[in-house]
């Protein structure tokens, strides 16, 4: 062995050093230049979780969306399509009388703690939701008479009525029907900062109410691993703060809701990308309390329907891209959608027709209809005042209507229309489940539209709404068309536009899918880092 | 009356003040249209479920019963209740949010004092020049524009061009990190420093700069005005004339005779400013998404969450009365003539 200090030793050390340096240098120089993926993504939003993240109770957009990233049901929407596919279900059979479904479930699915999914767990989860009877429980409570596990992998469902097939599947795809782990879930609502154990790509890591929610990949998920290991959902108070945060790079993706004007500005600057997709959350409409003078006169409501220029709203406020004019409460893309208002009133304002109706109803230029139009500035879009101003301008173009614009925060607003102190106001609808029924029943059925205080009652439409969910698909489409035509004729509610979805993201972010399912899938999103 | 008795009687008076304040807030919230469950309405939720939720919160009881229940729970059970929709204890939310408000209050007071004292002293020193007029204009302008407007101006003309963060106490990733630091008092300044996370500390300081500057500038108006007036007053006293006669340098006179004698009114004003400070904090916090008690109150009012608003007001009241008590006690140290 060479003595320390000898030439050989020096040489050996030098060679070793050079070798180490070379290896390190080679690592950095030759390391694949292919983009790496960041292991954490920050998603900023102005939404907040309204109640809890327990699927038996959550009923707000963000809460439900986070649950949809942590759990899944027997059926789900295929990303990019409006097609319902099997998820935790493998196959199913429907009895000839359409009242009994046998659903076979996956045997390889496990909860977060490794407990395997069984038919018993599915049944237990549904029973828990129905028994606790929280806000959205009716979604399956009104559907299922009884459910039982006929084997460890088959659930037998007895329906309350012989409902149509896609209707049943769309309800079983809702978050309230997601299986929860019977071993760890209490028979009570789980409160923040906790949630329940479900089967899905992510699980909850931490939650500071009002500030952020952190999700991490669920190691026991049977399906594909999420593209990004950790997701932080950061809450912002308003669109202005959210915009500033995405512009200075603190947020990777801003989703729901920047003002359309801000998005236009951001697009013009070109430093960020804007991803958009079709949307139905929300659809926007005007409600007219049909008991209030002079709106109890159908002709007055029809005149309003003639005057509103949906294209003006969509083009000026939404730049023609982030929204579509809506001519029926059933949105475009849904079973049986029909442009009934377009057929009945046209797609441009018809001042002549409106004036005739107003004259018949007893108004004139010297005796104009004086009305208040109410809106609420925070709940829907930051552009709400601009929209209300356009509608005012549309209505006043008749020369026989004088509009007084009024606004109030949501709690006041809700009280005003609940106590029927106001006659005409703007609202928006976020669907409970993705079926046309959810766009006609809550508005037009006199047994279900009490919450709206529109006071619209029509026995014919009630009967048609009750029938359509029990009819085979072909027949159902015809019935839905009839319902939409009657609704356009009576015009107690005037559909205005359906809002598209748009996300603003850093340029290195990929995998944002915005589709009709309205699910913002965190598990598909990733951010590349070069080098 | 000695100092101890004085402090004791002040503390005894606090619950009485709280009672009056809470009664007022209770009534005010009930006068507003809507209730906590209104936020859930406008959706398809069945009426019986909504009615059950209202009953769980006691909203179906007559208002005087609700009032008695509420007072009982605050003063007897010492319980601030739970939020209406999430059912999170209000005490927990306040504990989580309070450090942010204190951080903002302390840092903006420091800024206000620095700006205010130096402006006041300078204009007292050069009281025969143009400076006092400039400072007077500054203080009235700054004090009369709404604090959130100062915030928006700073955001637009300082933060945006420099690419500075303008929302929250930390960037989102650091927020999550800060909650898992080994030292956790809730005060990010302390936590990050004591845990040796200088990266989080610097991120925090950058985030703190704009909100505290906003509130600091707002409060500096009064500071500079009061400093100037009281120092100027002291400067015209006979003892200052005598000092001047002895040939002391003007700055020495300003500091040694002017400022020291002016401290009492400045301190009084600082004590009174606590209420303005906390009021300003609500607006500053909402402008900068600074997650303190102010933002909590703002959200609580919008959601009509009675428990949040009442709980936060209680904490505000306790803070204000505590500070004014501290200020009163400080008098005794600053001015040996003060006796209780």
């Amino acid at each position: 062995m060479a003595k320390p200090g000898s030439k050989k030793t020096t040489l050996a050390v030098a060679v070793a050093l050079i070798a180490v340096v070379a290896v390190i240098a080679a690592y950095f120089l030759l390391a694949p230049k292919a983009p790496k993926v960041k292991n954490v993504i920050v998603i900023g939003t102005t939404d907040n979780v309204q109640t809890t993240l327990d699927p038996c109770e959550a009923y707000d957009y963000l809460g439900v969306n986070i649950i949809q990233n942590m759990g899944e049901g027997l059926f789900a929407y295929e990303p990019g399509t409006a097609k319902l596919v099997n998820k935790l279900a493998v196959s199913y059979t429907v009895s000839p009388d359409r009242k009994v479904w046998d659903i076979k479930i996956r045997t390889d699915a496990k909860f977060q703690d490794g407990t395997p999914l069984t038919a018993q767990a599915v049944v237990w989860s549904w029973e828990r939701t129905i028994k606790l009877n929280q806000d959205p429980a009716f979604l399956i409570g009104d559907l299922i008479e009884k459910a039982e596990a006929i084997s460890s992998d088959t659930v037998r469902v007895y329906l309350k009525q012989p409902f149509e097939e896609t209707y049943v599947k769309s309800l079983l795809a809702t978050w309230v029907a997601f299986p929860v782990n019977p071993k760890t879930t209490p028979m009570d609502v789980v409160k923040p900062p906790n949630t329940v154990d479900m089967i899905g790509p992510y699980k909850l890591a931490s939650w500071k109410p009002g500030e952020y929610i952190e999700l991490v990949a669920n190691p026991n998920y049977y399906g594909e691993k999420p593209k990004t290991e950790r997701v932080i959902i950061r809450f912002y108070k308003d669109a202005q703060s959210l915009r500033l945060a995405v512009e200075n790079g603190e947020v990777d993706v801003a989703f729901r809701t920047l003002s359309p004007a801000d998005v236009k500005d951001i697009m013009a600057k070109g430093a960020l990308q804007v991803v958009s997709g079709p949307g139905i959350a929300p659809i926007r409409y005007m409600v007219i309390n049909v008991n209030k003078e002079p709106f109890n006169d159908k002709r007055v409501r029809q005149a309003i329907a003639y005057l509103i220029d949906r294209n003006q709203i969509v083009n000026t406020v939404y730049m023609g891209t982030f929204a579509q004019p809506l001519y029926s409460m059933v949105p475009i893309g849904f079973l049986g959608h029909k442009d009934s208002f377009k057929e009945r009133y046209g797609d441009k304002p018809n001042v002549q027709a409106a004036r005739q109706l107003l004259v018949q109803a007893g108004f004139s230029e010297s005796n104009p209809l004086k009305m208040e139009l109410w809106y609420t500035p925070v709940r829907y879009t930051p552009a709400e005042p601009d929209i209300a101003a356009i509608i005012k301008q549309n209505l006043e173009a008749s020369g026989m209507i004088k509009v007084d614009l009024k606004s109030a925060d949501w709690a006041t607003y809700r009280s005003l229309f609940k106590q029927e102190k106001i006659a005409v106001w703007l609202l928006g609808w976020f669907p409970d489940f993705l079926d046309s029924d959810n766009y006609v029943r809550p508005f037009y059925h006199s047994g279900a539209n009490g919450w709206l205080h529109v006071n619209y009652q029509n026995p014919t439409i009630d009967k048609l709404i009750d029938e359509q969910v029990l009819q085979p698909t072909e027949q159902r489409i015809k019935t839905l068309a009839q319902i939409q035509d009657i609704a356009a004729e009576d015009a107690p509610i005037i559909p205005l536009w359906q809002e598209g979805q748009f996300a603003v993201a850093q340029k290195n972010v990929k995998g944002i899918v915005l589709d009709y399912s309205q699910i913002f899938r965190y598990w598909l999103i990733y951010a590349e880092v070069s080098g | 009356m000695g100092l101890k008795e004085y402090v004791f009687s002040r503390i005894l008076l606090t619950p009485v003040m709280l009672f009056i304040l809470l009664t007022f807030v209770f009534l005010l919230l009930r006068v507003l249209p809507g209730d906590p469950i209104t936020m859930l309405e406008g959706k398809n939720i069945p009426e019986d479920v909504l009615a059950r939720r209202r009953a769980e919160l006691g909203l179906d009881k007559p208002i005087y019963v609700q009032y008695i229940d509420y007072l009982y729970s605050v003063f007897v059970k010492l319980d601030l209740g739970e939020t209406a929709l999430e059912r999170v204890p209000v005490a927990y939310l306040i504990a989580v949010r309070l450090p942010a408000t204190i951080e903002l209050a302390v840092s903006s007071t420091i800024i206000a004092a620095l700006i205010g004292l130096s402006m006041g002293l300078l204009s007292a020193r050069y009281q025969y020049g143009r400076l006092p007029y400039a400072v007077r204009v500054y203080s009235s302008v700054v004090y009369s524009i709404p604090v959130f407007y100062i915030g928006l101006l700073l955001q637009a003309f300082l933060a945006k061009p420099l690419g500075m963060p303008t929302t929250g106490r930390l960037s989102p990733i650091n927020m999550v990190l800060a909650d898992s630091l080994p030292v956790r008092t809730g005060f990010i300044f302390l936590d990050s420093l004591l845990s040796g996370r200088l990266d989080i500390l610097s991120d925090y300081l950058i985030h703190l700069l704009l909100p505290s500057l906003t509130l600091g500038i707002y409060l500096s108006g009064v500071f500079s005005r009061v400093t100037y007036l009281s120092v100027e007053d002291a400067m015209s006293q006979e003892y200052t004339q005598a000092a001047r006669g002895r040939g002391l340098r003007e700055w020495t006179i300003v500091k040694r005779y002017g400022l020291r004698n002016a401290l009492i009114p400045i301190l009084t004003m600082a004590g009174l400013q606590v209420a303005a400070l906390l009021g300003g904090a609500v607006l500053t916090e909402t402008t900068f998404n600074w997650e303190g008690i102010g933002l909590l109150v703002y959200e609580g009012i919008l959601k009509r969450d009675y428990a949040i608003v009442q709980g936060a007001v209680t904490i505000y009241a306790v803070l204000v009365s505590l500070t004014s008590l501290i200020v009163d006690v400080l008098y005794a140290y600053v001015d040996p003539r003060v006796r209780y």
Side-chain angles (χ1 to χ4, degrees), chain A residues 98 162-168 335 469-473 476:
Chain A
R98 288 191 286 146
F163 294 112
E164 190 250 340
E165 198 172 316
T166 45
Y167 176 79
V168 175
L335 188 76
V469 282
L470 305 175
Q471 289 165 341
T473 313
R476 195 179 169 206

Side-chain angles (χ1 to χ4, degrees), chain A residues 449-463:
Chain A
N449 68 2
W451 66 276
L452 193 59
H453 297 271
V454 61
N455 291 318
Y456 176 64
Q457 289 184 346
N458 183 336
T460 317
I461 218 168
D462 285 358
K463 191 166 152 283

Side-chain angles (χ1 to χ4, degrees), chain B residues 318-332:
Chain B
V318 170
L319 276 182
V320 171
S321 63
L322 209 67
T323 332
S324 70
L325 180 62
I326 292 172
V327 168
D328 280 357
V329 172
L330 275 181
Y331 282 162

Side-chain angles (χ1 to χ4, degrees), chain A residues 147-169:
Chain A
E148 60 187 26
I150 53 171
S151 70
S152 68
D153 68 347
T154 309
V155 184
R156 177 164 287 171
V157 190
Y158 299 89
L159 301 179
K160 287 199 165 159
Q161 289 184 71
F163 294 112
E164 190 250 340
E165 198 172 316
T166 45
Y167 176 79
V168 175
K169 278 162 77 173

Side-chain angles (χ1 to χ4, degrees), chain A residues 36 52 96 163 220 263 301-302 319 364:
Chain A
K36 289 179 203 158
T52 62
F163 294 112
N220 276 324
V263 177
R301 303 196 298 266
Q302 289 173 335
M319 323 311 151
S364 64

Side-chain angles (χ1 to χ4, degrees), chain B residues 248-302:
Chain B
L248 287 180
R249 284 169 54 211
E250 192 65 17
W251 260 123
T252 317
I253 300 171
V254 168
K255 277 188 286 184
R256 207 174 283 168
Y257 296 89
L259 181 59
R260 267 198 204 167
N261 286 292
L263 270 183
I264 287 261
I266 293 176
L267 202 61
T268 311
M269 190 271 313
L272 290 174
Q273 282 302 103
V274 174
L277 178 71
L278 292 177
V282 176
L283 294 172
T284 310
E285 286 176 11
T286 48
T287 310
F288 290 98
N289 218 83
W290 188 266
E291 272 124 351
I293 304 281
L295 195 56
L296 192 67
V297 172
Y298 172 82
E299 289 164 352
I301 292 173
L302 278 187

Side-chain angles (χ1 to χ4, degrees), chain B residues 205-221:
Chain B
L205 291 176
I206 290 177
H207 278 81
L208 177 66
L209 185 63
L210 280 188
S212 53
L213 207 55
T214 303
L215 197 49
I217 288 176
Y218 173 67
L219 296 174
S220 70

Side-chain angles (χ1 to χ4, degrees), chain B residues 48-61:
Chain B
D48 60 316
V49 175
L50 291 174
R52 195 189 61 217
R53 270 185 173 272
R54 288 204 160 87
E56 281 167 9
L57 292 171
L59 297 173
D60 54 341
K61 294 181 196 163

